[in-house]
Amino acid sequence: MSVRVRFAPSPTGLLHVGALRTVLFDFLFAKHEGGQCIFRIEDTDRARYNAESEQEFVETLRWVGIEFDEGPHIGGPFGPYRQSERKEAGIYATYIEELEAKGHAYKAFDTSEELDQMREFQQINKQQIGYFGGDWRDAISSEIEAAIAAGRTYVIRMRIPRDRKIIVQDAIRGRIEFDSNILPDPVLIKGDGMPTYHFAAMVDDHLMEITHIFRGEEWIPTSPIHALLFELFGWTAPVFVHCPVIIGADGKKLSKRHGATRVLDYMAQGYLKFALKNFIALIGWSPGGDVESMTEEELISSFTIEGLQPSPGRFDIEKLNWLNGLRIRSMTTEAVLEEMKGLYSEAYTKHYWETFVDEDRVPNQPEKDGKKIYSQFENLVLFAESNRVYALHCIKEEQERVTNLIDFGAACEFFIVDEPEMDPKAVDKWFGQPHVRDLFAHLKATCGTKQLTIEEYREKLVEFQTANGIEKLGPIVHPTRVALTGKTSGPGLFELMAVLGPERITKRVDRALTFVK
Ligand code: GLU
């Protein structure tokens, strides 16, 4: 039988890193096995359903490049793929009737006050909390008929068999045993007639012929309900793959402190989807050996369940930065520019930066100004539209140093503006030196007339050094850099001179002269 996996989110909020990992594992596993990956929307909790959330899931998965074989937006032979529509189609009604008829489910008419009282009683008497039968598990048919006749609302609960073990076979942890006496009878159909997650998901997993359930390990405690449903229906259960929890690099629960948790934020910050997928896949999974940087094809070809680990997976943003930088450097400059244009065309990028608040400000560093970051990025992308060749040269110079796409805006700014911002400290430090006026005159005369090669720019500076008997090249290089870029760091000086060319060099040196006291 061919492998079929599903990603089945409840659209109640944002798409976080944990869910991305689940869907990525689904996708990699399906591709590795030549199987199918199905997208299913679990929207039976109407109180928590959020249409924007569903949209966010679709948008994020589109950006990240995870394609499904079947789903609500593409259809498929097992549809509909949205549980509310499946409910309308009467799919769950058939199965709950079957379970009731077999005696594995029963109607419970408890009011919410009665349930509260039960809980209170259990708390006071230090009993196990939960519905273990109440008045209805063993009610006789006349009582049930009377309650129905009286028009009382009810839920349908699962009759958990008592005094036995329930076994869940987990692909990572092996056999997990549960004592059925500690499992309350869960609701399968709610008062509004909607199935609960437990019921709808398992019925659908069966009907959609799902072979493997990848999901977070927070579902382990309720997994016996799921395994039992399969058993009571007489269906073959899929393989459960409970993926390890994700923790921060400091070993603590993953939170915003460790980096964004919303996947779209990584897009807006300028991470490449390939690097992000590479990084996320390595949280709790390893291909063996110490390979880290992998292409999507490599991830697919090496993804097996055996590589999944039961211990918590670490989310280390430094590793993502490293992988992203590596990826940026491995691309052609044209491809980097295309990625930047793609990022610019995403409406969320602007929204993210314009509403950005620097929550974890790095000590001794100025606060990050989201609006400025965005406008620098926008300026570069727009500039590249009319000055493509020059922009590509600028991007190429920064490609070695930049970690993510958005940073190209600030890094390349000095290249593309007519008057780069001058760092006053750098000006103070380097423009006060006695040889600076002569140096600038020399620069204009030798580097400001025609385009030279990188090596020739170096020779011109060395020429000045030798002629003036200056021991080191530093006192020549630094003021030149400040004059041309406004700052003390950046790409190699001779390389950037070759990009700027004679006209810009002349203008910038002229302007720098106005700063010399
Ligand atoms: N709808 C569930 C969720 O929101 C899916 C859990 C599962 O994969 O079984 O996470």
Side-chain angles (χ1 to χ4, degrees), residues 103-154:
H104 299 313
Y106 61 94
K107 294 188 175 67
F109 296 82
D110 310 81
T111 63
S112 50
E113 291 76 31
E114 284 166 345
L115 291 175
D116 288 347
Q117 277 167 16
M118 176 193 287
R119 195 171 311 110
E120 209 177 305
F121 181 87
Q122 290 168 335
Q123 272 161 352
I124 293 169
N125 293 287
K126 304 223 170 346
Q127 291 176 352
Q128 195 127 229
I129 310 288
Y131 198 94
F132 289 89
D135 293 334
W136 297 100
R137 179 176 163 119
D138 299 316
I140 51 172
S141 54
S142 60
E143 288 173 312
I144 297 166
E145 278 153 24
I148 294 175
R152 290 175 63 180
T153 55
Y154 60 86

Short mmCIF file of all heavy atoms in Angstrom, two decimals, residues 103-154:
data_model
loop_
_atom_site.label_atom_id
_atom_site.label_comp_id
_atom_site.label_asym_id
_atom_site.label_seq_id
_atom_site.Cartn_x
_atom_site.Cartn_y
_atom_site.Cartn_z
N GLY A 103 -22.31 -0.52 20.81
CA GLY A 103 -22.18 -0.33 22.25
C GLY A 103 -20.90 0.37 22.67
O GLY A 103 -20.56 0.41 23.84
N HIS A 104 -20.21 0.95 21.73
CA HIS A 104 -18.95 1.61 22.07
C HIS A 104 -19.10 3.12 22.26
O HIS A 104 -18.11 3.82 22.48
CB HIS A 104 -17.91 1.36 20.98
CG HIS A 104 -17.60 -0.09 20.79
ND1 HIS A 104 -17.33 -0.92 21.85
CD2 HIS A 104 -17.51 -0.85 19.67
CE1 HIS A 104 -17.09 -2.14 21.39
NE2 HIS A 104 -17.20 -2.13 20.07
N ALA A 105 -20.32 3.60 22.13
CA ALA A 105 -20.56 5.02 22.35
C ALA A 105 -21.95 5.17 22.94
O ALA A 105 -22.81 4.31 22.75
CB ALA A 105 -20.45 5.78 21.03
N TYR A 106 -22.15 6.24 23.68
CA TYR A 106 -23.46 6.44 24.31
C TYR A 106 -23.77 7.92 24.43
O TYR A 106 -22.87 8.76 24.44
CB TYR A 106 -23.48 5.77 25.70
CG TYR A 106 -22.46 6.35 26.68
CD1 TYR A 106 -22.80 7.36 27.58
CD2 TYR A 106 -21.15 5.87 26.70
CE1 TYR A 106 -21.88 7.88 28.46
CE2 TYR A 106 -20.21 6.38 27.59
CZ TYR A 106 -20.58 7.39 28.47
OH TYR A 106 -19.66 7.91 29.34
N LYS A 107 -25.06 8.20 24.51
CA LYS A 107 -25.50 9.59 24.65
C LYS A 107 -25.42 9.98 26.12
O LYS A 107 -25.81 9.20 26.99
CB LYS A 107 -26.95 9.74 24.15
CG LYS A 107 -27.10 9.49 22.65
CD LYS A 107 -28.49 9.84 22.19
CE LYS A 107 -28.64 9.72 20.67
NZ LYS A 107 -28.53 8.34 20.16
N ALA A 108 -24.94 11.17 26.37
CA ALA A 108 -24.86 11.66 27.75
C ALA A 108 -25.54 13.02 27.81
O ALA A 108 -25.20 13.92 27.03
CB ALA A 108 -23.40 11.75 28.19
N PHE A 109 -26.50 13.15 28.70
CA PHE A 109 -27.35 14.34 28.72
C PHE A 109 -26.97 15.31 29.83
O PHE A 109 -27.76 16.17 30.20
CB PHE A 109 -28.82 13.90 28.89
CG PHE A 109 -29.33 13.09 27.73
CD1 PHE A 109 -29.07 11.71 27.66
CD2 PHE A 109 -30.06 13.68 26.71
CE1 PHE A 109 -29.54 10.96 26.60
CE2 PHE A 109 -30.53 12.91 25.64
CZ PHE A 109 -30.27 11.56 25.58
N ASP A 110 -25.80 15.17 30.40
CA ASP A 110 -25.42 16.02 31.53
C ASP A 110 -25.44 17.49 31.12
O ASP A 110 -24.99 17.85 30.04
CB ASP A 110 -24.00 15.69 32.00
CG ASP A 110 -23.80 14.21 32.19
OD1 ASP A 110 -23.57 13.51 31.16
OD2 ASP A 110 -23.86 13.76 33.34
N THR A 111 -25.93 18.31 32.05
CA THR A 111 -25.88 19.76 31.79
C THR A 111 -24.50 20.26 32.22
O THR A 111 -23.77 19.56 32.94
CB THR A 111 -26.94 20.50 32.63
OG1 THR A 111 -26.62 20.29 34.01
CG2 THR A 111 -28.34 19.99 32.33
N SER A 112 -24.18 21.48 31.83
CA SER A 112 -22.85 21.97 32.22
C SER A 112 -22.76 22.14 33.73
O SER A 112 -21.71 21.94 34.33
CB SER A 112 -22.48 23.25 31.47
OG SER A 112 -23.51 24.16 31.58
N GLU A 113 -23.89 22.47 34.39
CA GLU A 113 -23.87 22.58 35.87
C GLU A 113 -23.57 21.22 36.48
O GLU A 113 -22.79 21.11 37.41
CB GLU A 113 -25.24 23.07 36.41
CG GLU A 113 -25.60 24.52 36.08
CD GLU A 113 -26.06 24.69 34.64
OE1 GLU A 113 -26.65 23.73 34.08
OE2 GLU A 113 -25.80 25.77 34.06
N GLU A 114 -24.19 20.20 35.92
CA GLU A 114 -23.95 18.86 36.47
C GLU A 114 -22.49 18.46 36.29
O GLU A 114 -21.87 17.86 37.18
CB GLU A 114 -24.86 17.84 35.78
CG GLU A 114 -26.29 17.91 36.29
CD GLU A 114 -27.29 17.14 35.38
OE1 GLU A 114 -26.96 16.79 34.24
OE2 GLU A 114 -28.40 16.91 35.87
N LEU A 115 -21.94 18.82 35.16
CA LEU A 115 -20.53 18.47 34.91
C LEU A 115 -19.62 19.23 35.87
O LEU A 115 -18.64 18.69 36.38
CB LEU A 115 -20.15 18.76 33.45
CG LEU A 115 -20.81 17.85 32.42
CD1 LEU A 115 -20.47 18.31 31.01
CD2 LEU A 115 -20.38 16.39 32.60
N ASP A 116 -19.98 20.50 36.13
CA ASP A 116 -19.18 21.29 37.08
C ASP A 116 -19.24 20.65 38.47
O ASP A 116 -18.23 20.54 39.16
CB ASP A 116 -19.72 22.73 37.18
CG ASP A 116 -19.39 23.51 35.92
OD1 ASP A 116 -18.55 23.03 35.13
OD2 ASP A 116 -19.99 24.59 35.72
N GLN A 117 -20.43 20.26 38.85
CA GLN A 117 -20.59 19.64 40.18
C GLN A 117 -19.76 18.37 40.28
O GLN A 117 -19.13 18.09 41.29
CB GLN A 117 -22.06 19.30 40.43
CG GLN A 117 -22.87 20.48 40.94
CD GLN A 117 -24.37 20.17 40.87
OE1 GLN A 117 -24.77 19.01 40.72
NE2 GLN A 117 -25.17 21.21 40.97
N MET A 118 -19.79 17.61 39.20
CA MET A 118 -19.03 16.35 39.20
C MET A 118 -17.54 16.63 39.40
O MET A 118 -16.87 16.01 40.20
CB MET A 118 -19.25 15.63 37.87
CG MET A 118 -18.42 14.37 37.73
SD MET A 118 -18.43 13.77 36.04
CE MET A 118 -20.06 13.13 35.94
N ARG A 119 -17.05 17.64 38.70
CA ARG A 119 -15.63 17.98 38.79
C ARG A 119 -15.28 18.44 40.20
O ARG A 119 -14.29 18.04 40.78
CB ARG A 119 -15.28 19.08 37.78
CG ARG A 119 -13.79 19.23 37.58
CD ARG A 119 -13.43 20.13 36.43
NE ARG A 119 -14.15 19.82 35.20
CZ ARG A 119 -15.09 20.58 34.64
NH1 ARG A 119 -15.45 21.72 35.21
NH2 ARG A 119 -15.68 20.23 33.53
N GLU A 120 -16.18 19.25 40.76
CA GLU A 120 -15.95 19.76 42.10
C GLU A 120 -15.89 18.60 43.11
O GLU A 120 -15.01 18.53 43.96
CB GLU A 120 -17.11 20.70 42.46
CG GLU A 120 -16.73 21.80 43.42
CD GLU A 120 -17.93 22.70 43.65
OE1 GLU A 120 -18.49 23.21 42.64
OE2 GLU A 120 -18.32 22.85 44.80
N PHE A 121 -16.83 17.69 42.96
CA PHE A 121 -16.89 16.52 43.84
C PHE A 121 -15.59 15.72 43.72
O PHE A 121 -14.99 15.30 44.71
CB PHE A 121 -18.10 15.65 43.44
CG PHE A 121 -18.25 14.42 44.30
CD1 PHE A 121 -18.95 14.49 45.50
CD2 PHE A 121 -17.67 13.20 43.91
CE1 PHE A 121 -19.08 13.35 46.30
CE2 PHE A 121 -17.79 12.07 44.71
CZ PHE A 121 -18.50 12.14 45.90
N GLN A 122 -15.15 15.54 42.48
CA GLN A 122 -13.92 14.76 42.25
C GLN A 122 -12.72 15.46 42.88
O GLN A 122 -11.86 14.82 43.47
CB GLN A 122 -13.68 14.56 40.75
CG GLN A 122 -14.69 13.62 40.11
CD GLN A 122 -14.65 13.64 38.60
OE1 GLN A 122 -14.24 14.62 37.99
NE2 GLN A 122 -15.11 12.56 37.98
N GLN A 123 -12.70 16.79 42.76
CA GLN A 123 -11.57 17.53 43.33
C GLN A 123 -11.55 17.39 44.85
O GLN A 123 -10.52 17.07 45.43
CB GLN A 123 -11.67 19.01 42.95
CG GLN A 123 -10.98 19.30 41.63
CD GLN A 123 -11.44 20.61 41.00
OE1 GLN A 123 -12.38 21.26 41.47
NE2 GLN A 123 -10.78 20.98 39.92
N ILE A 124 -12.72 17.62 45.46
CA ILE A 124 -12.80 17.56 46.92
C ILE A 124 -12.42 16.17 47.42
O ILE A 124 -11.70 16.01 48.40
CB ILE A 124 -14.23 17.95 47.40
CG1 ILE A 124 -14.47 19.42 47.09
CG2 ILE A 124 -14.41 17.68 48.90
CD1 ILE A 124 -15.90 19.87 47.27
N ASN A 125 -12.86 15.17 46.72
CA ASN A 125 -12.61 13.79 47.17
C ASN A 125 -11.33 13.19 46.59
O ASN A 125 -11.10 11.99 46.69
CB ASN A 125 -13.81 12.91 46.84
CG ASN A 125 -15.02 13.32 47.66
OD1 ASN A 125 -15.07 13.05 48.85
ND2 ASN A 125 -15.95 14.01 47.03
N LYS A 126 -10.55 14.06 46.01
CA LYS A 126 -9.26 13.64 45.44
C LYS A 126 -9.41 12.43 44.51
O LYS A 126 -8.65 11.46 44.57
CB LYS A 126 -8.24 13.35 46.55
CG LYS A 126 -8.02 14.50 47.51
CD LYS A 126 -6.56 14.68 47.80
CE LYS A 126 -6.19 15.93 48.56
NZ LYS A 126 -7.13 17.01 48.70
N GLN A 127 -10.43 12.51 43.70
CA GLN A 127 -10.65 11.43 42.71
C GLN A 127 -10.09 11.87 41.37
O GLN A 127 -9.81 13.04 41.15
CB GLN A 127 -12.16 11.17 42.55
CG GLN A 127 -12.81 10.54 43.75
CD GLN A 127 -14.31 10.40 43.54
OE1 GLN A 127 -14.86 10.90 42.57
NE2 GLN A 127 -14.97 9.71 44.47
N GLN A 128 -9.97 10.91 40.52
CA GLN A 128 -9.54 11.23 39.16
C GLN A 128 -10.56 12.17 38.50
O GLN A 128 -11.76 11.93 38.58
CB GLN A 128 -9.53 9.91 38.41
CG GLN A 128 -8.80 10.01 37.17
CD GLN A 128 -7.74 8.97 37.04
OE1 GLN A 128 -6.66 9.37 36.71
NE2 GLN A 128 -8.02 7.71 37.24
N ILE A 129 -10.04 13.22 37.87
CA ILE A 129 -10.95 14.19 37.24
C ILE A 129 -11.33 13.70 35.83
O ILE A 129 -10.47 13.26 35.08
CB ILE A 129 -10.27 15.58 37.11
CG1 ILE A 129 -9.65 16.04 38.44
CG2 ILE A 129 -11.21 16.63 36.51
CD1 ILE A 129 -10.64 16.45 39.51
N GLY A 130 -12.61 13.82 35.53
CA GLY A 130 -13.03 13.47 34.17
C GLY A 130 -14.31 12.67 34.19
O GLY A 130 -14.81 12.28 35.25
N TYR A 131 -14.84 12.46 33.01
CA TYR A 131 -16.12 11.75 32.90
C TYR A 131 -15.86 10.25 32.75
O TYR A 131 -15.45 9.79 31.69
CB TYR A 131 -16.89 12.29 31.69
CG TYR A 131 -18.36 11.98 31.73
CD1 TYR A 131 -19.27 12.89 32.26
CD2 TYR A 131 -18.84 10.78 31.23
CE1 TYR A 131 -20.63 12.60 32.29
CE2 TYR A 131 -20.20 10.49 31.25
CZ TYR A 131 -21.09 11.40 31.78
OH TYR A 131 -22.42 11.13 31.82
N PHE A 132 -16.11 9.55 33.83
CA PHE A 132 -15.87 8.10 33.78
C PHE A 132 -17.17 7.31 33.69
O PHE A 132 -17.20 6.12 33.93
CB PHE A 132 -15.05 7.67 35.00
CG PHE A 132 -13.62 8.16 34.91
CD1 PHE A 132 -13.27 9.40 35.43
CD2 PHE A 132 -12.66 7.41 34.26
CE1 PHE A 132 -11.97 9.87 35.30
CE2 PHE A 132 -11.35 7.88 34.13
CZ PHE A 132 -11.02 9.11 34.66
N GLY A 133 -18.25 8.00 33.41
CA GLY A 133 -19.51 7.26 33.26
C GLY A 133 -20.70 8.09 33.67
O GLY A 133 -21.73 8.06 33.01
N GLY A 134 -20.53 8.88 34.73
CA GLY A 134 -21.64 9.71 35.21
C GLY A 134 -22.93 8.92 35.29
O GLY A 134 -22.93 7.74 35.65
N ASP A 135 -24.02 9.60 34.94
CA ASP A 135 -25.32 8.94 35.02
C ASP A 135 -25.67 8.19 33.75
O ASP A 135 -26.69 7.51 33.68
CB ASP A 135 -26.42 10.00 35.25
CG ASP A 135 -26.29 10.65 36.61
OD1 ASP A 135 -25.73 10.00 37.52
OD2 ASP A 135 -26.73 11.81 36.75
N TRP A 136 -24.87 8.37 32.74
CA TRP A 136 -25.35 7.95 31.43
C TRP A 136 -24.66 6.76 30.79
O TRP A 136 -25.25 6.10 29.93
CB TRP A 136 -25.33 9.15 30.47
CG TRP A 136 -26.27 10.22 30.96
CD1 TRP A 136 -25.93 11.35 31.64
CD2 TRP A 136 -27.69 10.20 30.87
NE1 TRP A 136 -27.05 12.06 31.98
CE2 TRP A 136 -28.16 11.38 31.52
CE3 TRP A 136 -28.63 9.31 30.33
CZ2 TRP A 136 -29.53 11.69 31.63
CZ3 TRP A 136 -29.99 9.63 30.43
CH2 TRP A 136 -30.42 10.79 31.08
N ARG A 137 -23.46 6.47 31.25
CA ARG A 137 -22.75 5.36 30.62
C ARG A 137 -23.56 4.06 30.73
O ARG A 137 -23.60 3.25 29.81
CB ARG A 137 -21.37 5.21 31.27
CG ARG A 137 -20.54 4.06 30.70
CD ARG A 137 -19.14 4.02 31.33
NE ARG A 137 -18.52 2.75 31.11
CZ ARG A 137 -17.38 2.56 30.43
NH1 ARG A 137 -16.71 3.58 29.95
NH2 ARG A 137 -16.88 1.36 30.28
N ASP A 138 -24.17 3.90 31.90
CA ASP A 138 -24.91 2.65 32.10
C ASP A 138 -26.43 2.87 32.17
O ASP A 138 -27.15 2.04 32.72
CB ASP A 138 -24.40 1.97 33.38
CG ASP A 138 -22.93 1.63 33.24
OD1 ASP A 138 -22.54 1.12 32.18
OD2 ASP A 138 -22.15 1.94 34.18
N ALA A 139 -26.87 4.01 31.63
CA ALA A 139 -28.32 4.29 31.69
C ALA A 139 -29.08 3.26 30.87
O ALA A 139 -28.56 2.74 29.88
CB ALA A 139 -28.59 5.69 31.15
N ILE A 140 -30.30 2.98 31.31
CA ILE A 140 -31.09 2.01 30.54
C ILE A 140 -31.84 2.74 29.42
O ILE A 140 -32.03 3.96 29.48
CB ILE A 140 -32.08 1.23 31.45
CG1 ILE A 140 -32.90 2.21 32.29
CG2 ILE A 140 -31.34 0.23 32.34
CD1 ILE A 140 -34.01 1.56 33.07
N SER A 141 -32.28 1.99 28.43
CA SER A 141 -32.82 2.65 27.23
C SER A 141 -34.04 3.52 27.52
O SER A 141 -34.24 4.56 26.89
CB SER A 141 -33.11 1.62 26.14
OG SER A 141 -33.93 0.62 26.67
N SER A 142 -34.86 3.15 28.50
CA SER A 142 -36.04 3.98 28.78
C SER A 142 -35.62 5.36 29.28
O SER A 142 -36.24 6.37 28.96
CB SER A 142 -36.97 3.28 29.77
OG SER A 142 -36.28 3.06 30.98
N GLU A 143 -34.53 5.41 30.06
CA GLU A 143 -34.05 6.72 30.57
C GLU A 143 -33.58 7.58 29.40
O GLU A 143 -33.84 8.77 29.33
CB GLU A 143 -32.88 6.52 31.53
CG GLU A 143 -33.26 5.94 32.88
CD GLU A 143 -32.04 5.61 33.73
OE1 GLU A 143 -31.09 4.97 33.23
OE2 GLU A 143 -32.03 6.03 34.89
N ILE A 144 -32.88 6.93 28.50
CA ILE A 144 -32.36 7.67 27.35
C ILE A 144 -33.50 8.17 26.47
O ILE A 144 -33.54 9.33 26.07
CB ILE A 144 -31.39 6.76 26.54
CG1 ILE A 144 -30.21 6.40 27.43
CG2 ILE A 144 -30.91 7.45 25.26
CD1 ILE A 144 -29.36 5.29 26.93
N GLU A 145 -34.46 7.29 26.25
CA GLU A 145 -35.61 7.69 25.41
C GLU A 145 -36.38 8.85 26.05
O GLU A 145 -36.80 9.79 25.36
CB GLU A 145 -36.56 6.50 25.19
CG GLU A 145 -36.06 5.60 24.07
CD GLU A 145 -36.53 4.16 24.22
OE1 GLU A 145 -37.56 3.91 24.88
OE2 GLU A 145 -35.83 3.27 23.66
N ALA A 146 -36.51 8.79 27.35
CA ALA A 146 -37.23 9.86 28.05
C ALA A 146 -36.49 11.19 27.90
O ALA A 146 -37.09 12.24 27.67
CB ALA A 146 -37.39 9.51 29.53
N ALA A 147 -35.18 11.12 28.01
CA ALA A 147 -34.38 12.36 27.89
C ALA A 147 -34.49 12.93 26.48
O ALA A 147 -34.62 14.14 26.29
CB ALA A 147 -32.92 12.08 28.25
N ILE A 148 -34.48 12.04 25.51
CA ILE A 148 -34.61 12.50 24.12
C ILE A 148 -36.00 13.12 23.92
O ILE A 148 -36.14 14.21 23.37
CB ILE A 148 -34.39 11.35 23.11
CG1 ILE A 148 -32.94 10.87 23.21
CG2 ILE A 148 -34.73 11.78 21.68
CD1 ILE A 148 -32.61 9.66 22.35
N ALA A 149 -37.00 12.42 24.44
CA ALA A 149 -38.38 12.90 24.30
C ALA A 149 -38.56 14.26 24.97
O ALA A 149 -39.32 15.11 24.49
CB ALA A 149 -39.35 11.88 24.90
N ALA A 150 -37.81 14.47 26.05
CA ALA A 150 -37.91 15.75 26.76
C ALA A 150 -37.12 16.85 26.04
O ALA A 150 -37.06 17.99 26.50
CB ALA A 150 -37.42 15.59 28.20
N GLY A 151 -36.50 16.48 24.95
CA GLY A 151 -35.76 17.47 24.14
C GLY A 151 -34.46 17.92 24.78
O GLY A 151 -33.95 19.00 24.48
N ARG A 152 -33.89 17.11 25.65
CA ARG A 152 -32.63 17.51 26.30
C ARG A 152 -31.46 17.36 25.32
O ARG A 152 -31.43 16.43 24.51
CB ARG A 152 -32.39 16.64 27.55
CG ARG A 152 -33.39 16.97 28.66
CD ARG A 152 -33.24 16.05 29.83
NE ARG A 152 -31.93 16.18 30.47
CZ ARG A 152 -31.56 15.47 31.54
NH1 ARG A 152 -32.41 14.60 32.08
NH2 ARG A 152 -30.37 15.62 32.06
N THR A 153 -30.55 18.29 25.40
CA THR A 153 -29.40 18.17 24.48
C THR A 153 -28.41 17.15 25.05
O THR A 153 -28.34 16.94 26.27
CB THR A 153 -28.67 19.51 24.25
OG1 THR A 153 -28.31 20.01 25.51
CG2 THR A 153 -29.51 20.49 23.49
N TYR A 154 -27.67 16.58 24.16
CA TYR A 154 -26.73 15.55 24.60
C TYR A 154 -25.46 15.58 23.76
O TYR A 154 -25.43 16.16 22.67
CB TYR A 154 -27.37 14.16 24.51
CG TYR A 154 -27.79 13.78 23.10
CD1 TYR A 154 -26.88 13.19 22.21
CD2 TYR A 154 -29.10 14.02 22.67
CE1 TYR A 154 -27.27 12.86 20.91
CE2 TYR A 154 -29.49 13.69 21.37
CZ TYR A 154 -28.57 13.11 20.50
OH TYR A 154 -28.94 12.79 19.22
#
